[in-house]
Amino acid sequence: MQATWLVFRREIGQYLGSPLAYVMGAAFLLLTGITFNNDLTLSIGYKPLAPALIPTLLASILILFAPLLTMRLLAEEQREGTLELLLTAPISDSSIVVGKFLSAWAYFTILLALTLVYQVIAVSISFPDISHMLGSYLGIWLYAGAALAIGTLFSSTTENQILAAFLSLVTLIVLYFGDAISQIVSNTQLADILFNLTLRGHFMASFAIGVLRAEDIVYYAGIIVIAIFIAIQIVSSRRWR
Amino acid sequence: MIEVKNLVKKYGNFTAVDNISFDAHPGEIVGLLGPNGAGKTTTMRILTGYMPVTSGEVKVAGYDVIEDSMEVRQRVGYMPEQVPLYPDMTVEAFVLYWARLRQTEKPKQRTQDVLEQFGLLDRRKKLVRSLSKGLRQRLGLAQALVHSPSVIILDEPTIGIDPKQVVEVREVVRSLRENHTILFSSHILSEVEQICDRVVIINNGKIVAEGTTDILGEQTHSGLALYVHIDGEKAHIEQLLHDLPAVTDIQLHESGFIIRGHDEELRHAVMQVVADHRLELLEMRPVDRRLEDIFIKLVN
């Protein structure tokens, strides 16, 4: 635990200490801000504010964003050789991987929390469904955990950050849009199964429309556990080469 | 202390370390000497618990490196060949990080102590990326020593730094001898001779010689090697030198010759030839015994 905390603390310091983190944060807020403003303009005449607007937008943005946030985590340690020091320090391999993953998730949580400013504006000028809104935030937070866990996994496979980002990008795209293949088999049952395997299947059909289901939480938690478990095995396997 | 018994390490079909045994005791600096690819780094990685053995028994500080890996890792200070650093951290934060990860008591105090020991105290707020190569080397040593390990493993700590810094690093290593067991790898013979009490020479994963530096010196020091440059026609001079009874071997080198022979007789013999034939001696100096020479001698 102690080691996980130390690794976590160093990594979060890296996120918050690098200019890139602030550029990414600014881009993140710009994108969500523009979207929120558009919705705000529309809501004056046509429709109420959409409570799950920002989380729904983030669901697709995260496909690109999660690989960028996580590509550095383990790939850089390998390239710099510091992984050798970590693996010869009296700490478990899992504390390295878990600490790093949690730091990425925590950094994302900070960014996500910043977008709550739009919700404060929304609440102060209109009457959005607050439980719908908070539910969608919980959903995107879990969804992000899964996406970042996948990014962490691929960062452990290579010392090339670009390759790590590319591999997790491809994996996330497949996991997000993978059910598109069901359109050519015209089998609704199969399509349903495939949809339920995708990342969006457990967000768009539930959190985004104000539904909380245990199965969605289990799905994202399952992806996190599996991806982190594999990442730990990959890091441990460095010893066996 | 370090005990290595019948250590074998294979990567697939390739045997990197082939049945080596040696030990090192507290208060002793043992040099691991060998050319690149001899198996030095692999051996060190096994000792630090980074890699498992294929077979054999390895104990560090009284603990088995596989069974009690954590105990071993707690007691070993390791500096890999390419000193791994986090460029975006400050010097102080970097050392403190490793102090805490290794559960050092009073990590802040120890960090101050090692920074002072390695002359980094005034640079403690600087970013690691701004340090010169020599300072990075010192930071690598500080990192390896911050948790007061009883065993210190240094993989080629003097490679790639300038001569003044090499001397500094050597002094630091010597100063650590008293309370530690030190394993030091190098491919420079003279360096090992200066620092180490005992030397283990490995080549192709096998130990080719082991002993104190004096004994090894005698074993391999079959006389003296001199570089001699005498003005005049090459073939003629070669013939003259070759005919000297003291010279056992002669070879062309740069604009003169390297001659080998028995001890001080050699110099006298050369001077005699020069005087007798009224030649002009432009240069005569002893040639460093190179590791390659020793290998050739040891292998033959």
Side-chain angles (χ1 to χ4, degrees):
Chain A
M1 272 318 284
Q2 167 87 4
T4 309
W5 166 242
L6 287 168
V7 172
F8 172 85
R9 217 172 56 170
R10 196 194 85 81
E11 289 300 325
I12 202 84
Q14 293 280 296
Y15 276 121
L16 300 179
S18 86
L20 185 74
Y22 292 92
V23 172
M24 273 167 107
F28 187 85
L29 282 179
L30 186 69
L31 253 154
T32 50
I34 290 170
T35 313
F36 177 72
N37 259 304
N38 283 340
D39 192 55
L40 206 57
T41 322
L42 282 175
S43 75
I44 291 168
Y46 296 97
K47 64 173 197 58
L49 277 172
L53 178 78
I54 302 293
T56 308
L57 171 72
L58 290 180
S60 45
I61 289 181
L62 267 168
I63 295 176
L64 186 66
F65 205 64
L68 291 178
L69 274 184
T70 51
M71 63 183 191
R72 209 196 77 242
L73 290 178
L74 287 150
E76 192 181 40
E77 298 265 4
Q78 267 171 68
R79 167 147 292 180
E80 299 288 326
T82 38
L83 194 64
E84 190 170 342
L85 282 187
L86 281 175
L87 292 178
T88 55
I91 57 173
S92 66
D93 298 350
S94 56
S95 60
I96 302 168
V97 177
V98 172
K100 282 176 174 282
F101 161 67
L102 289 179
S103 73
W105 205 4
Y107 174 65
F108 176 79
T109 308
I110 294 172
L111 293 183
L112 188 65
L114 289 176
T115 69
L116 284 173
V117 69
Y118 307 129
Q119 309 310 327
V120 172
I121 295 171
V123 170
S124 65
I125 59 172
S126 116
F127 303 98
D129 180 346
I130 292 182
S131 52
H132 181 177
M133 191 178 86
L134 293 179
S136 67
Y137 266 78
L138 172 69
I140 199 64
W141 185 70
L142 288 168
Y143 175 111
L148 294 166
I150 288 166
T152 309
L153 165 59
F154 283 104
S155 185
S156 74
T157 59
T158 170
E159 59 170 44
N160 184 337
Q161 294 188 33
I162 306 295
L163 184 62
F166 181 75
L167 289 174
S168 41
L169 178 69
V170 169
T171 306
L172 286 174
I173 288 175
V174 170
L175 269 176
Y176 190 83
F177 296 111
D179 66 315
I181 198 166
S182 60
Q183 295 193 353
I184 56 171
V185 290
S186 66
N187 176 335
T188 49
Q189 272 175 326
L190 182 66
D192 198 40
I193 292 171
L194 287 174
F195 185 63
N196 270 308
L197 285 174
T198 61
L199 282 168
R200 65 170 167 175
H202 288 273
F203 184 79
M204 297 307 180
S206 55
F207 292 112
I209 55 171
V211 179
L212 284 190
R213 296 186 303 187
E215 63 197 75
D216 303 319
I217 296 172
V218 170
Y219 172 83
Y220 292 125
I223 288 189
I224 293 172
V225 170
I226 293 168
I228 295 304
F229 176 78
I230 298 173
I232 293 168
Q233 301 311 308
I234 290 172
V235 168
S236 298
S237 77
R238 301 262 157 224
R239 300 176 185 284
W240 303 93
R241 285 175 202 176
Chain B
M1 62 195 276
I2 299 170
E3 291 167 82
V4 178
K5 262 185 217 153
N6 306 324
L7 170 64
V8 176
K9 175 69 190 178
K10 289 183 178 170
Y11 299 109
N13 285 329
F14 174 70
T15 307
V17 176
D18 192 0
N19 198 17
I20 68 170
S21 303
F22 67 91
D23 51 16
H25 304 286
E28 193 176 41
I29 303 180
V30 173
L32 203 54
L33 187 64
N36 298 327
K40 299 189 298 279
T41 299
T42 301
T43 306
M44 292 187 147
R45 283 181 166 172
I46 288 168
L47 287 169
T48 53
Y50 179 64
M51 273 179 180
V53 302
T54 304
S55 71
E57 197 183 327
V58 181
K59 277 189 173 176
V60 175
Y63 294 93
D64 188 283
V65 286
I66 298 175
E67 309 262 309
D68 299 305
S69 179
M70 290 296 172
E71 300 291 335
V72 169
R73 293 192 226 167
Q74 193 112 48
R75 288 165 177 78
V76 171
Y78 176 40
M79 183 165 93
E81 186 177 341
Q82 308 286 340
V83 183
L85 303 168
Y86 293 118
D88 293 326
M89 284 178 110
T90 65
V91 168
E92 187 175 34
F94 178 79
V95 178
L96 189 58
Y97 178 62
W98 291 109
R100 289 195 166 131
L101 272 184
R102 294 175 188 137
Q103 292 132 46
T104 312
E105 277 176 48
K106 297 188 186 157
K108 284 193 175 154
Q109 186 55 46
R110 273 300 297 162
T111 301
Q112 294 300 311
D113 292 349
V114 288
L115 287 180
E116 193 172 355
Q117 184 180 358
F118 293 102
L120 290 163
L121 208 51
D122 51 335
R123 294 187 179 82
R124 66 184 188 276
K125 298 289 179 204
K126 288 242 164 68
L127 283 183
V128 170
R129 67 163 76 252
S130 72
L131 297 184
S132 69
K133 187 105 207 249
L135 290 177
R136 283 167 189 234
Q137 212 79 8
R138 284 201 232 160
L139 186 57
L141 283 168
Q143 161 277 124
L145 291 169
V146 71
H147 55 301
S148 317
S150 53
V151 176
I152 301 170
I153 294 178
L154 306 171
D155 196 357
E156 307 234 2
T158 56
I159 211 164
I161 51 176
D162 71 43
K164 187 168 163 281
Q165 294 161 340
V166 168
V167 174
E168 277 175 20
V169 170
R170 286 178 190 165
E171 274 168 14
V172 167
V173 173
R174 287 174 73 96
S175 71
L176 295 171
R177 171 193 312 206
E178 251 173 64
N179 307 313
H180 304 86
T181 308
I182 303 175
L183 187 66
F184 178 101
S185 83
S186 178
H187 62 263
I188 305 162
L189 179 69
S190 59
E191 174 169 283
V192 170
E193 271 183 336
Q194 278 178 35
I195 300 177
C196 303
D197 305 305
R198 227 145 42 78
V199 187
V200 176
I201 301 185
I202 62 174
N203 189 26
N204 293 327
K206 290 194 176 89
I207 293 185
V208 289
E210 188 187 351
T212 63
T213 43
D214 298 343
I215 293 174
L216 278 181
E218 276 169 26
Q219 269 185 24
T220 55
H221 188 168
S222 65
L224 188 68
L226 289 177
Y227 171 74
V228 187
H229 184 188
I230 299 172
D231 199 25
E233 197 206 337
K234 276 266 162 78
H236 176 57
I237 297 195
E238 184 171 5
Q239 192 56 49
L240 287 176
L241 290 173
H242 189 81
D243 290 343
L244 291 173
V247 175
T248 54
D249 180 41
I250 179 164
Q251 71 194 75
L252 214 58
H253 180 77
E254 291 166 18
S255 42
F257 301 94
I258 288 182
I259 55 173
R260 286 168 217 277
H262 298 293
D263 301 327
E264 295 307 310
E265 285 174 45
L266 200 59
R267 292 175 208 254
H268 293 297
V270 172
M271 292 312 291
Q272 203 62 50
V273 166
V274 169
D276 290 353
H277 295 81
R278 295 180 173 275
L279 296 166
E280 207 173 333
L281 181 60
L282 298 177
E283 191 179 356
M284 174 158 77
R285 58 177 156 86
V287 180
D288 280 340
R289 282 167 294 134
R290 283 166 195 276
L291 190 55
E292 296 81 64
D293 298 348
I294 291 197
F295 276 120
I296 290 162
K297 290 230 167 65
L298 288 171
V299 171
N300 293 340

